[in-house]
Amino acid sequence: MIYRRHIQIEFNHCDPAGIVFYPRYFEMTNSVAENFFREVAGQSYAAMMRELQGVPTARLEADFHAPSRLGEVLEWRMHLTRLGRSSMDFGLQAWCGDQHRVSVRLVLVFVEGLGAPKPWPDPVRAAITAFMEAPDA
Amino acid sequence: MIYRRHIQIEFNHCDPAGIVFYPRYFEMTNSVAENFFREVAGQSYAAMMRELQGVPTARLEADFHAPSRLGEVLEWRMHLTRLGRSSMDFGLQAWCGDQHRVSVRLVLVFVEGLGAPKPWPDPVRAAITAFMEAPDA
Amino acid sequence: MIYRRHIQIEFNHCDPAGIVFYPRYFEMTNSVAENFFREVAGQSYAAMMRELQGVPTARLEADFHAPSRLGEVLEWRMHLTRLGRSSMDFGLQAWCGDQHRVSVRLVLVFVEGLGAPKPWPDPVRAAITAFMEAPDA
Amino acid sequence: MIYRRHIQIEFNHCDPAGIVFYPRYFEMTNSVAENFFREVAGQSYAAMMRELQGVPTARLEADFHAPSRLGEVLEWRMHLTRLGRSSMDFGLQAWCGDQHRVSVRLVLVFVEGLGAPKPWPDPVRAAITAFMEAPDA
């Protein structure tokens, strides 16, 4: 299944060339992942903070295919490619209409306390597995 | 040769877990590249903007080895791995003392006007080549 | 009339104390103003950029009544207090449920070309005046 | 006495109009205050975080006199106007050469634990008082 979020490109995202400044794309990928955890995995970042848990990024790759401009709306599409014992790989694509702007691959790790990786909690694993196996609407 | 910049980790860079929020690392990599172009390549981003030139990022890869915390000072080390006709590959590493925190590989492309890649201007190519060939101090 | 926007507090907005970092509130006030211009005044920031126009902030005041936390949703309420020849004063309040978090007063100026203030274009003035005079829904 | 910090305006600070986006000025004011606490008051934000202390901003006012552009270096000058039992008022000015760009007035409050204001610790009060009374170099 694919998780979708729309993000409107505002002043805040753009550089002096009038296009999205690349670090802002990663504010967007973090926002998409954050909303995925709250809405799909049933574990919000706020709840994780209270329990001294987190999902830091271990690795990412990004390809910037074409620039995005002020006033456009990006559709971010996220899909999971692998659910490990305590990690997760996913791919994100940003589209504006039929134009593919950005591709990102992220690896997240579930950690607790002083930063040691921990297995995903069972309800989180179950929710994510169900999402991975569901057909796209 | 290696280009070095020190960046102190301030409130602005940190997330609720008290560690650097990963999009902020890319604000840092952009700052390192921006200062490299001004100081080494002899072509500042401000000068490029005036001439409708730019060096957008085409691709990046990053590995986050260990978290960085408020109050630490990171040493960023940048080296060039390839200078193409209109692109450039470089590697950046962030260190805190003897701890390796982050590795990033960036591919930049020189563009003019409406975004078409252009060959590097001769003085820029000469300055960068001299930098690549110089021994590290 | 009151213009409303909801903004969810995400990782990106929060500091190591787990509360909104105050510069991020101004990213929010800019976003509210930007959406107001597009939706109400009929003049988007993207359109203004193409015509070398803008609405830089000349002055602001802010009172921070109580902190806002990760996962909360803020309702921003914006009202206009004065429409001058080339400036505009407005007030913004951020609420979370019945808790008043932040009050901001902003003065914007309409400029063209090299930064000289210009009178508001007639259609913009008409749209904003109609908004000011409309009763709140 | 006046506390000074130089900040170079980089891509990260600028908007599509090529000038500093106003929320970025407040990232700068926070950075100036953060370095003042570490260097002058003898209490870094990192140390405060470990003790569950903080200095949230209660109020600010800002006047933007003229825009600042990519590649310029701002000199921020900070002086204290009042040291209360648990609060502090200070003024900041950003200059570029002999051009006055921005004036900010900030009120900070010292808090502990769940956010209740607390008197400044004696060593902090002593260090700040000494700074206020010292002649400018």
Side-chain angles (χ1 to χ4, degrees), chain A residues 5 8-12 27 30-32 34-35 38 45-46 49-50 70-71, chain C residues 5 8-12 27 30-32 34-35 38 45-46 49-50 70-71:
Chain A
R5 297 282 298 180
Q8 182 177 288
I9 298 177
E10 301 188 346
F11 234 59
N12 186 48
E27 297 183 7
N30 194 73
S31 174
V32 174
E34 186 169 349
N35 282 287
R38 182 173 52 83
Y45 281 20
M49 285 295 104
R50 283 190 293 271
L70 183 64
Chain C
R5 296 281 300 179
Q8 182 177 286
I9 298 176
E10 301 189 346
F11 235 59
N12 185 50
E27 296 183 7
N30 194 74
S31 174
V32 174
E34 186 169 349
N35 282 286
R38 183 173 51 83
Y45 282 20
M49 285 296 104
R50 282 190 293 270
L70 184 63

Side-chain angles (χ1 to χ4, degrees), chain A residues 18-133:
Chain A
I19 61 176
V20 173
F21 182 49
Y22 75 85
R24 307 291 170 239
Y25 280 123
F26 300 109
E27 297 183 7
M28 296 183 200
T29 58
N30 194 73
S31 174
V32 174
E34 186 169 349
N35 282 287
F36 170 84
F37 271 89
R38 182 173 52 83
E39 291 185 353
V40 175
Q43 185 81 332
S44 71
Y45 281 20
M48 286 195 230
M49 285 295 104
R50 283 190 293 271
E51 321 235 342
L52 300 180
Q53 300 171 336
V55 282
T57 302
R59 177 170 168 75
L60 68 79
E61 294 170 26
D63 289 280
F64 304 95
H65 308 298
S68 300
R69 297 183 188 283
L70 183 64
E72 291 181 338
V73 176
L74 294 181
E75 179 179 284
W76 283 91
R77 302 176 190 165
M78 172 176 158
H79 63 283
L80 275 88
T81 51
R82 197 184 62 86
L83 179 62
R85 184 175 164 277
S86 58
S87 69
M88 184 188 300
D89 290 21
F90 55 91
L92 295 116
Q93 296 184 321
W95 290 78
C96 181
D98 61 357
Q99 296 175 34
H100 186 184
R101 299 289 172 77
V102 184
S103 302
V104 180
R105 183 184 156 235
L106 281 176
V107 181
L108 301 186
V109 180
F110 182 70
V111 301
E112 264 187 8
L114 295 175
K118 291 277 173 178
W120 295 105
D122 286 343
V124 172
R125 173 175 295 279
I128 294 175
T129 303
F131 173 83
M132 287 176 78
E133 293 172 354

Side-chain angles (χ1 to χ4, degrees), chain D residues 54-82:
Chain D
V55 282
T57 302
R59 175 168 171 74
L60 68 79
E61 295 171 24
D63 288 281
F64 304 95
H65 308 298
S68 300
R69 296 182 188 284
L70 183 63
E72 293 181 336
V73 176
L74 294 181
E75 179 180 283
W76 283 92
R77 302 177 191 166
M78 171 175 158
H79 64 282
L80 276 87
T81 51
R82 198 185 62 86

Side-chain angles (χ1 to χ4, degrees), chain B residues 33-47:
Chain B
E34 186 170 349
N35 281 286
F36 170 85
F37 271 90
R38 183 173 50 84
E39 292 185 352
V40 176
Q43 184 81 331
S44 71
Y45 281 20

Side-chain angles (χ1 to χ4, degrees), chain C residues 1-134:
Chain C
M1 196 167 159
I2 295 173
Y3 180 73
R4 290 174 162 81
R5 296 281 300 179
H6 290 86
I7 297 179
Q8 182 177 286
I9 298 176
E10 301 189 346
F11 235 59
N12 185 50
H13 301 112
C14 295
D15 70 14
I19 61 176
V20 173
F21 181 49
Y22 76 84
R24 307 291 171 239
Y25 280 124
F26 299 110
E27 296 183 7
M28 296 183 201
T29 57
N30 194 74
S31 174
V32 174
E34 186 169 349
N35 282 286
F36 170 85
F37 271 90
R38 183 173 51 83
E39 292 186 351
V40 175
Q43 183 81 329
S44 72
Y45 282 20
M48 286 194 232
M49 285 296 104
R50 282 190 293 270
E51 321 235 340
L52 301 181
Q53 301 171 336
V55 281
T57 301
R59 177 170 168 74
L60 68 78
E61 295 171 26
D63 289 280
F64 304 95
H65 308 299
S68 300
R69 295 182 188 286
L70 184 63
E72 293 181 338
V73 176
L74 293 181
E75 180 179 284
W76 283 92
R77 301 176 191 165
M78 173 175 158
H79 64 283
L80 275 89
T81 52
R82 195 183 64 84
L83 179 63
R85 183 174 163 277
S86 59
S87 69
M88 184 189 299
D89 289 22
F90 54 91
L92 295 117
Q93 296 184 320
W95 290 79
C96 181
D98 61 357
Q99 297 175 34
H100 186 183
R101 297 288 172 75
V102 184
S103 302
V104 180
R105 181 183 157 238
L106 280 176
V107 181
L108 301 187
V109 180
F110 182 70
V111 300
E112 265 188 6
L114 294 174
K118 290 276 172 178
W120 295 105
D122 287 341
V124 171
R125 172 176 295 279
I128 294 175
T129 302
F131 173 82
M132 286 178 79
E133 292 174 355

